[in-house]
Structure formats: structure tokens, C-alpha cells
Amino acid sequence: MHDVRLIRETPDAFDQGMARRGLEPAAERILELDRRRRAAQTALQEMLTRRNAVSKQVGAAKRNGEDAADLIAEVQSLKDGITANEASEKVLDRDLEAILEGLPNLPAADVPDGNTEDDNREVRTHGDKPDFDFAVREHFDIGEDLGYMDFGAAARLSGARFVVLRGALARLERALAAFMLDLHTQEHGFSEIVTPVLVRENALYGTGQLPKFAEDLYKTADDYWLIPTAEVTLTNLAADGILDEAELPQRMTAWTQCFRSEAGAAGKDTRGMLRQHQFSKVEMVCVTHPDQSDAELERMTGCAEEVLKRLGLHYRVVVLCTGDLGFGARKTYDIEVWLPGQGTYREISSCSNCGDFQARRMKARFRPRGEKGTRFVNTLNGSGLAVGRTMIAIIENYQNADGSITVPEVLRPYMGGLERIASKERTGQ
RNA sequence: GGAGGGAUGGCAGAGUGGUAAUGCAGCGGGUUGCUAACCCGUGUACCGGAAACGGUACCGGGGGUUCGAAUCCCCCUCCCUCCGCCA
């Protein structure tokens, strides 16, 4: 949500920001509504001032046993004007709100211009593509052949875009989540949180998924929504609150299931675990002082990268161009992991600084030291990491010629010491 | 599913028609050699104003009654307690 005062002060900068996202100028329309709304409000307030004063006189007159008929008549005569201005202020207010809540965040100055993901800019890479002296396969072939990845069973239960994992791969899911949570809580200063995955509408409004992107979400028959990411619940923990400046930054992490309808992705990534209606993810959220959020974005991205480094996976970091930026983000780094089976980099984490865009929607504020009043906090979120996609990366990068998978060293303590995932027959599992 | 109770500022908590007590915390200032203590100020949002300052709204949300509503009436949302069922 945008600050009207900011648009009032710098309408051109606002429109330029919208233009960088490929959107039509909106400032003029907004400011016209804003002018009319303020005029109605000012007129209304003057009438209310008069009404309050005269009403007071009525009270005084009645106490003294005097006749108040003239005064009462005067207030009566104000009524139509009050009703009319009240109504027009409310309508203008709603119109203005309706425009503002549909506009995305302004991109940060250092975000590159562009239209599609092809215009994203590579920032850095880590590691190298692994060499294989055999024909590499994709994760679903490996997983299915091992007998631990079952799309048929999932289809019978739930249809397309679901998976059933068994045995060592089921455990790998749990191991990955535990490893990531341990890293973020023990070394990166995040506190571990468990949240609901069913939420009310207002939580999704706060983070910006609603009202615009309802078609991407699942909703229950009794009006709960399934979260598409724990960003929703973790960030909304700050909603409607006023924090002490000393309580910032707040770093939180949670492992949750995520649910996405993938409405716009029909026919895309239909094979394998890459794009599912349900997947688990370890999410990081940070609530910061506005002056700190830029630095926090770098830090958070580093926390996500650390997971990949320790797993020994080759990746690159790209900064999203204006055209690829999400609705609430002012700047986003995507981390793309190398998938040898696909022979391409795929997104495994997305870390965004939302500035005060979400905070304004959910009224998340803090009290600045030595200053009057309150300010909106800044919010950031990042995957650390998407667990299913991490599993894909491990399967493809650690595959062996015999169809087994080597367990990365850091995960072995979480896998009961297991060094290699081989087929059922061979391990007897 | 049944029956009750409730929602007031950061927190606690009074207020049954005359325009939001009080306490605590935090912040700013003052007194004292320091600490403690004490004193003064300080709710949030918005509008007008160069500023000083002035004004309006807000007692869960939305309507209504009234000269005037936290207070009375109607609708809605949320929270809590007990009973039943249940992992």
C-alpha cells in the first residue's frame, strides 16, 4: 500500500516507478481523488466543529432551564450538509483505497529495468557445475527407479502436481528441513516459529496476496485460506502492533507446508516435483527498522546461500528486473540452483525487501527512539530454502551411475548416518 | 453442535446520554553529587497551517435514534468460558 502523502510530494517519481514496472501513470488520478476527499473532509470537519459547539450550548441552556429551541434548530439545519459530506468522503475514501491497494510496490533505485526474467541480472555464482562420466537423469526418473518417489500413488489420492515420498526420500525431506532450521536458528539468529497454515482473509491482505491474486490460492468451504508461503503468517505476526525500536530486527523462521493453485502455470513443469500444489518450505522473515532493510536483504540472501554452500550445490544469484518483481517487493534476489538433469538453473529461493509496503497494509509499526509518534517497519522475506526443490537439486547433483544418490555430508547426521540412498532391494528398506 | 460472557489508548482498567477517569510502562524535560525517589509533559490517525497552533475522528466493525452516543437500538466480526464431540 502506498502513502498518499508521498505521492502528493513526488508524483512524478511515483509515476516513473510505475512506468518502470510497465504500468500506466496513476498519480494524477490518485491526487484528484485525494484533493476531493480532503475538501469533503475539511468541509465536514467545519460543520462538525459548529455542531459540537452548539450542542454544548444546548446542554448548558437546558441545565439552566433556558429555552434551547433556536440552538436545536441550528444544529438541525446542519444535518443535511453533514450527511452529504460524510457520504462523499466515504465514497472518495473507498475509491482511493481501491486504486491504491491494487498498485504494486515501487522498485528500488538499483533494480535493473526489464520486462521478463531474461532481463534479470546475474550478481554472482558459487561453485561449479559438476562433471558426470555417465548420462545424467532428471530427479523423477532417479526417484521413481529407486522406488521412493511415487507420482502414480499421489495422482490416485490427489491428482496432478502431488507426490508421495517413501523411505529414504521421505526422511530426506525431514532431514533437509531440520538442517535448515538448525542453521538459521543456531548460526543466523532466527527464532523458530510454528504457525497455522489456514488463515483469514485479512492476513493475506496484509502481505499483498489479496485482493488481487485470489486465483493463485486455495480457500476452504468455511472461508479459510491455505497459505502459499509462511511469509504470510510470519510477517503478519507484526500486524496491528507497535514495537519498541529496541525489539528490531525480528528474525523468524518456520517450516511449513505451502499451497498454490498454480492457476497461471498450466502445462508448465508438469513432470516431477518442481511445481506442486503442495510443498514444504523453510521460510525466513525479518521485521526491521527502515534504515536497516537494505542491509538485511543482503544478509538474508546470504543466509539462504549458506544452505546451498553447505550442501555443496552450485548456484547463481540474480537480481530481478522491474518486470519480474513481485507485487509487494521493492527489490528481490532469486537464488537459482544448478540442475544437471535439466541442464539449467532453477529458482530455489527468492529473497525480497518489501520496504514498508506490507507494513502499511497490516499496520505494523514501531516507536522510533527520541521521536514523536510511530513509523512503519520494513518487512523482508526469503526462502531458506524450498525443501522440495532442494531435494531435486540433491538428487540430480549427487546422482551416481548405478542410480543411487550420495547423501551430502552435512545431512548424514540427520539421516541416521546414511551415506548413500540406494534402491529398496539393495538396502532392504 | 448447545449455553453464557466479553471487545475502551503500548498494557491494565473505570465509565448507563453532556463529549474518554485512573494506574503502570515507555519516551521527553526538571529536581538531587550518582542511583533510587519525586515533579511536569506525553494516546493514535487525519485535516487546516510556513510555523506556533487549531480542529475532527477513533471506545471491535457497520447502520440507526438524539441538539448531543463509549453509553440506547439493529446487523456483523472476533475473542473467552462451560457442556457435548474429537486428534
Side-chain angles (χ1 to χ4, degrees):
Chain A
M1 184 74 77
H2 293 283
D3 184 359
V4 189
R5 275 177 298 188
L6 197 79
I7 302 173
R8 226 182 275 158
E9 284 161 21
T10 53
D12 293 342
F14 183 81
D15 280 341
Q16 279 159 23
M18 288 297 143
R20 294 183 65 204
R21 277 193 179 253
L23 295 172
E24 297 297 310
E28 196 184 319
R29 195 164 45 118
I30 291 167
L31 291 181
E32 174 57 22
L33 273 174
D34 181 49
R35 261 190 300 276
R36 289 166 54 200
R37 180 181 63 88
R38 281 151 67 207
Q41 184 177 358
T42 303
L44 173 65
Q45 289 185 357
E46 279 163 8
M47 291 177 201
L48 290 175
T49 305
R50 184 66 193 151
R51 183 197 67 182
N52 290 346
V54 179
S55 286
K56 248 178 211 169
Q57 293 173 28
V58 172
K62 288 203 163 172
R63 261 193 304 281
N64 297 332
E66 294 162 11
D67 175 41
D70 288 352
L71 295 170
I72 290 174
E74 184 183 347
V75 179
Q76 292 279 27
S77 74
L78 288 169
K79 273 206 157 170
D80 286 348
I82 289 176
T83 309
N85 276 295
E86 240 169 19
S88 58
E89 192 202 349
K90 189 168 292 174
V91 169
L92 291 165
D93 216 36
R94 281 183 189 161
D95 290 352
L96 189 58
E97 179 114 337
I99 294 177
L100 288 176
E101 72 187 6
L103 292 173
N105 203 351
L106 292 169
D110 58 349
V111 167
D113 287 313
N115 299 316
T116 69
E117 60 182 296
D118 300 328
D119 300 315
N120 296 341
R121 187 187 300 155
E122 184 176 297
V123 176
R124 60 182 166 270
T125 65
H126 177 269
D128 296 299
K129 295 172 189 167
D131 290 325
F132 294 93
D133 53 9
F134 57 91
V136 292
R137 297 189 298 161
E138 294 205 50
H139 70 279
F140 41 82
D141 287 333
I142 300 166
E144 283 184 317
D145 282 357
L146 285 168
Y148 296 139
M149 192 179 286
D150 192 339
F151 294 99
R156 285 188 292 279
L157 293 169
S158 309
R161 295 203 191 281
F162 290 92
V163 69
V164 168
L165 298 175
R166 302 181 205 273
L169 287 187
R171 181 161 191 181
L172 182 59
E173 166 101 5
R174 178 161 56 94
L176 279 168
F179 163 66
M180 293 177 196
L181 287 171
D182 283 351
L183 176 63
H184 295 321
T185 56
Q186 290 165 19
E187 299 185 43
H188 294 155
F190 288 79
S191 48
E192 185 171 349
I193 314 265
V194 173
T195 74
V197 297
L198 291 174
V199 296
R200 293 207 187 98
E201 194 177 355
N202 63 326
L204 288 154
Y205 179 86
T207 33
Q209 283 83 9
L210 291 179
K212 239 184 145 172
F213 306 102
E215 72 278 6
D216 296 332
L217 304 170
Y218 288 109
K219 189 183 186 182
T220 70
D222 51 354
D223 291 339
Y224 288 108
W225 298 76
L226 282 77
I227 58 170
T229 160
E231 167 200 344
V232 174
T233 44
L234 292 178
T235 310
N236 272 285
L237 289 176
D240 294 312
I242 302 180
L243 291 164
D244 234 50
E245 185 174 336
E247 294 176 274
L248 301 175
Q250 293 201 336
R251 299 191 177 103
M252 299 168 275
T253 184
W255 176 37
T256 70
Q257 295 293 327
C258 304
F259 304 89
R260 300 186 180 180
S261 73
E262 298 296 344
K268 213 163 145 192
D269 302 317
T270 48
R271 285 208 71 183
M273 287 178 59
L274 198 74
R275 191 175 297 278
Q276 307 262 284
H277 287 309
Q278 176 188 343
F279 61 96
S280 89
K281 180 158 61 74
V282 170
E283 181 75 359
M284 302 175 284
V285 160
C286 188
V287 177
T288 73
H289 189 288
D291 297 345
Q292 244 94 75
S293 65
D294 286 340
E296 190 68 27
L297 179 62
E298 303 301 320
R299 182 186 191 277
M300 180 180 276
T301 307
C303 293
E305 288 180 63
E306 188 61 27
V307 177
L308 290 167
K309 284 180 183 168
R310 295 204 189 185
L311 289 171
L313 294 168
H314 167 55
Y315 67 86
R316 66 177 186 184
V317 179
V318 301
V319 58
L320 297 194
C321 72
T322 50
D324 206 21
L325 213 49
F327 183 72
R330 61 192 306 273
K331 181 174 181 180
T332 297
Y333 289 116
D334 271 8
I335 302 175
E336 299 178 339
V337 71
W338 174 251
L339 297 184
Q342 281 204 356
T344 181
Y345 292 97
R346 295 301 302 245
E347 176 188 336
I348 197 167
S349 172
S350 188
C351 299
S352 300
N353 181 2
C354 297
D356 64 5
F357 186 84
Q358 294 178 325
R360 204 176 285 284
R361 291 172 85 97
M362 65 177 74
K363 297 182 174 58
R365 295 169 293 172
F366 74 101
R367 245 177 244 289
R369 250 193 302 268
E371 236 178 82
K372 250 185 102 81
T374 60
R375 290 180 67 187
F376 289 106
V377 297
N378 279 16
T379 59
L380 302 96
N381 62 80
S383 358
L385 309 165
V387 176
R389 290 192 174 182
T390 308
M391 188 179 307
I392 294 173
I394 287 169
I395 292 172
E396 295 198 2
N397 281 279
Y398 284 88
Q399 61 181 297
N400 300 310
D402 65 357
S404 67
I405 304 159
T406 301
V407 177
E409 203 109 18
V410 289
L411 290 179
R412 291 178 190 172
Y414 295 95
M415 295 287 289
L418 188 68
E419 294 176 12
R420 220 165 55 91
I421 297 172
S423 69
K424 272 183 188 172
E425 301 85 70
R426 247 177 294 174
T427 60
Q429 279 193 33

